[in-house]
Amino acid sequence: VDRPDNTTILGAAKLAGRLTSDLSISALAAVTGREHALTFDVDNGEFDKHDVEPLAGYGAVRALKQFGPDQSTVGITLTGVRRDVAAGGPLVGQAASEAYTGGLDWGLRFRGGQYRVSGNVGFSHVRADPAFMTLLQNRSTHYFGRPDADHVTLDPARTSLSGYNLLW
């Protein structure tokens, strides 16, 4: 097997800056190419190509606004990836076809920065073939199949998974 060590970045862009309104914005986007491994079958003496990485697009955006006399902040972050994982294709059980996250965070400062109240709220969403979603549900970050979990259930037919958080 001759497998590439890395995925080729077909293109990428980054934008970052701060506006005079105390708003900072940054964005990053990239596209990676489809990768193949070359294999040789010793039994029949034939070479073949197998997909090992799909065409994929990645993006991230962050905005942070500073306001008030004590420089309180509020920010938003969004990320996403979309992969060309065709139904029935060789990579269908290996990666999610779509994954998105986002969040809002804040840090409110009072009395010259002596006091601070902060928190965040966020979400995530993953879409994939049921084979990959079953693997995801069984990973240690989820453990949907554990017997003591009455709030989640392992679903082998699931094609998406979403979640949220709220932290004060």
Side-chain angles (χ1 to χ4, degrees), residues 7 21 24 27 36-37 40 46 49 56 58-59 70 77 90 92 97 99-100 104 110 118 140 143 145 150-153:
T7 301
S21 61
S24 299
H36 308 279
F40 180 73
E46 293 180 6
K49 277 175 43 170
Y58 302 86
D70 299 324
T77 304
V92 75
S97 56
Y100 305 102
L104 177 69
F110 305 96
S118 62
S140 61
Y143 284 139
D150 56 3
H151 63 287
V152 292
T153 342

Side-chain angles (χ1 to χ4, degrees), residues 32-53:
T32 58
R34 185 176 308 280
E35 298 291 343
H36 308 279
L38 184 63
T39 60
F40 180 73
D41 187 332
V42 292
D43 292 334
N44 61 19
E46 293 180 6
F47 286 94
D48 200 2
K49 277 175 43 170
H50 297 274
D51 289 345
V52 292
E53 289 292 333

Side-chain angles (χ1 to χ4, degrees), residues 18 21-23 64-75 105-113 115-118:
R18 186 176 179 124
S21 61
D22 288 330
L23 177 66
L64 182 70
K65 171 73 173 168
Q66 216 172 39
F67 62 94
D70 299 324
Q71 297 182 338
S72 294
T73 60
V74 63
D105 59 274
W106 57 89
L108 307 175
R109 299 173 64 159
F110 305 96
R111 302 190 83 195
Y115 299 101
R116 182 170 192 243
V117 176
S118 62

Side-chain angles (χ1 to χ4, degrees), residues 106 108 117-121 165-168:
W106 57 89
L108 307 175
V117 176
S118 62
N120 65 62
V121 60
N165 78 302
L166 176 60
L167 179 66
W168 281 93

